Amino acid sequence: MGGIRGPLAVLSLSLALVLPASLPALAVDAPLPPADGELVRVIDVTDGDTIRVEWPDGWWERVRYIGIDTPEIGHDPGEQDEPWGREATEFNRDLVDGQQVLLERDISDTDRYDRLLRYVWVETEDGWRMVNGELVAAGLADVHAYEPDTRHDQWFRQLHDEAIAAGRGRYGDGEAGEP
């Protein structure tokens, strides 16, 4: 993972260039991907905040994104989608489906449904991006801090405030930010 910091500097600079000048600078710097993260491949996108990943040895597990909550989609026949559930799912799918991702652990390993709890990073041509934060910044996810897993909570809250101020996703004209 030694080559991550250079692309992240480019990503930070490019984000600074595209953010509206009227927004205040972030008080909390964007996080960097962990050097000790687990590289896995996304084999299924369940919804906006849950994926299924596969390790190189063929083992797979469900992963729930830490610190955020997206609207639900109906998984059973006749079950209704919550507003913006499909948009959040498609946004997530556009970011990670079939991609190799880096999983970052906080304190807890799993939730009550035995899903891994992780921050999920995807490498793009612009560098590494945290998917949890991308969903919040697009106005498609709410921020929910569940102790003790709160490492990036302040950053998520700033992204959420920016999404509201910019009217992205559920907070504006219906347009989500591009993944």
Side-chain angles (χ1 to χ4, degrees), residues 15-166:
L15 284 176
L17 294 175
V18 298
L19 290 176
S22 61
L23 292 176
L26 291 177
V28 177
D29 290 335
L32 299 174
D36 61 348
E38 303 164 287
L39 280 173
V40 296
R41 188 175 60 85
V42 176
I43 57 174
D44 185 47
V45 174
T46 306
D47 57 28
D49 52 30
T50 309
I51 57 177
R52 199 162 45 118
V53 300
E54 181 180 53
W55 271 262
D57 66 2
W59 181 261
W60 65 267
E61 290 193 66
R62 293 178 306 149
V63 175
R64 173 66 164 81
Y65 297 170
I66 297 174
I68 69 167
D69 188 39
T70 61
E72 297 299 321
I73 59 170
H75 292 285
D76 296 321
E79 195 174 36
Q80 295 292 318
D81 295 341
E82 291 181 1
W84 291 93
R86 286 283 162 201
E87 291 83 353
T89 301
E90 288 307 313
F91 189 90
N92 190 21
R93 185 171 283 120
D94 288 345
L95 283 170
V96 301
D97 196 30
Q99 300 295 315
Q100 187 173 40
V101 296
L102 184 68
L103 302 180
E104 176 185 358
R105 185 176 174 176
D106 201 331
I107 304 297
S108 304
D109 191 42
T110 60
D111 67 7
R112 64 184 176 181
Y113 303 108
D114 291 323
R115 299 176 296 190
L116 293 179
L117 293 172
R118 299 293 189 269
Y119 303 103
V120 177
W121 296 83
V122 64
E123 189 171 23
T124 70
E125 61 189 36
D126 297 324
W128 288 93
R129 296 162 68 173
M130 187 198 293
V131 179
N132 316 46
E134 293 290 324
L135 284 153
V136 172
L140 297 172
D142 290 322
V143 178
H144 287 282
Y146 296 102
E147 293 289 340
D149 303 301
T150 59
R151 178 179 305 148
H152 301 302
D153 183 59
Q154 286 184 312
W155 183 63
F156 290 159
R157 291 189 185 285
Q158 288 179 332
L159 293 174
H160 186 255
D161 291 347
E162 286 181 4
I164 291 170

